[in-house]
Amino acid sequence: MQSKPLGICLIIDCIGNDAAFLRDTFTSLGYEVQSFLYLSVDGIIQVLRRVAGMPQHREYDSFVCVLVSRGGSHSVFGVDRTHSGFPLDQIRRMFMGDACPFLLGKPKLFFIQNYVEPEDPLDNSSLLEVDGPAVNNLESKAKQPGSSTIHREADFLWSLCKADVSLLERSSSSPSLYLQCLSQKLGKERRRPLLELHIELNGSVYGWNSRASAKERYYVWLQHTLRKKLILSCE
């Protein structure tokens, strides 16, 4: 990746403990950081739609999204306490190749810290679903039918960490262990493939979990469709 900046790094921190050090980390890596604090679900959707539709992606080589929020097993709540939640799968869909053509074939990195709240068995409300970003006019300019054989779900890295919401009640100002470790790994002045750094991140989280109570543990899932080795190095 050689563009300057490398791309947009979108940080949405609905807890307020992680945005500052994440901004420093991704700025040092060469990203243009856009940071938002304490968003509602509607606010999260509006920001994601706007960023997914940005024509600047055409000039950049990658995209990063870091999201910190309370949520359910498969959704985020933002600062809303009574909302049914916005599905995590919908976030990924908003940046797939058919919805966000300027990022087709480019690495799209998502790091999500979700503090999971107990589910209410009496809550029968459905998850909020929205259409993808309104980029039809951009898509027609970005690619023509048959012009690309790249799958719309290619080149994603999806790193999701779940922790019990009671962690925030114990220490409301403490940053996420997962995101702290990620920031430290990325900040080291050595060129290491991102997937190798994520393995080390998993090891750090495992070490913490081996000493922590069940309510204090972090659980990390990684999915990726990256087609090339990806290295991020501090400037």
Side-chain angles (χ1 to χ4, degrees):
M1 299 189 295
Q2 298 181 355
S3 66
K4 293 188 178 182
L6 291 178
I8 300 294
C9 172
L10 173 63
I11 299 172
I12 300 176
D13 185 356
C14 300
I15 306 300
N17 298 336
D18 304 283
F21 70 81
L22 290 169
R23 172 182 285 278
D24 291 343
T25 296
F26 285 99
T27 298
S28 71
L29 289 169
Y31 282 89
E32 177 188 323
V33 176
Q34 298 189 12
S35 181
F36 298 86
L37 295 174
Y38 310 120
L39 296 183
S40 64
V41 166
D42 287 342
I44 292 173
I45 294 170
Q46 290 174 11
V47 168
L48 289 170
R49 275 179 161 166
R50 181 182 63 79
V51 172
M54 290 175 61
Q56 291 96 313
H57 293 306
R58 187 198 334 236
E59 310 299 330
Y60 299 158
D61 287 343
S62 63
F63 170 72
V64 176
C65 178
V66 187
L67 174 59
V68 190
S69 178
R70 292 177 173 84
S73 298
H74 305 287
S75 64
V76 290
F77 299 160
V79 296
D80 296 336
R81 290 290 186 171
T82 59
H83 207 287
S84 56
F86 183 54
L88 291 169
D89 283 348
Q90 289 251 2
I91 297 174
R92 179 159 36 181
R93 264 182 251 166
M94 294 171 81
F95 292 88
M96 288 183 181
D98 52 352
C100 187
F102 290 144
L103 285 174
L104 181 66
K106 300 176 182 181
K108 296 164 283 287
L109 316 177
F110 290 80
F111 302 98
I112 299 174
Q113 173 65 69
N114 194 12
Y115 293 97
V116 179
E117 297 189 356
E119 295 187 4
D120 185 355
L122 300 179
D123 182 7
N124 295 319
S125 58
S126 59
L127 295 176
L128 179 66
E129 296 197 8
V130 299
D131 294 330
V135 295
N136 291 335
N137 58 329
L138 298 177
E139 186 173 358
S140 63
K141 299 176 184 177
K143 66 173 184 174
Q144 299 298 326
S147 63
S148 175
T149 59
I150 300 174
H151 196 279
R152 69 190 189 106
E153 296 186 37
D155 302 299
F156 274 87
L157 182 140
W158 184 265
S159 177
L160 170 64
C161 179
K162 295 181 182 180
D164 195 281
V165 72
S166 62
L167 273 178
L168 297 177
E169 298 166 359
R170 290 188 177 94
S171 182
S172 60
S173 61
S174 294
S176 158
L177 172 76
Y178 156 74
L179 292 176
Q180 269 192 318
C181 290
L182 173 67
S183 181
Q184 291 167 2
K185 301 295 181 186
L186 291 174
K188 290 182 178 179
E189 295 182 4
R190 51 181 180 156
R191 295 176 62 83
R192 296 283 305 282
L194 184 57
L195 291 179
E196 288 186 14
L197 291 182
H198 202 285
I199 291 172
E200 292 184 4
L201 167 64
N202 285 349
S204 298
V205 173
Y206 178 82
W208 165 271
N209 287 346
S210 66
R211 303 184 299 272
S213 67
K215 290 285 189 179
E216 297 174 319
R217 293 173 184 167
Y218 293 80
Y219 300 92
V220 181
W221 286 264
L222 174 66
Q223 298 175 315
H224 82 89
T225 55
L226 298 174
R227 296 174 299 138
K228 294 182 180 180
K229 183 182 294 185
L230 184 62
I231 297 174
L232 299 177
S233 180
C234 287
E235 295 182 333

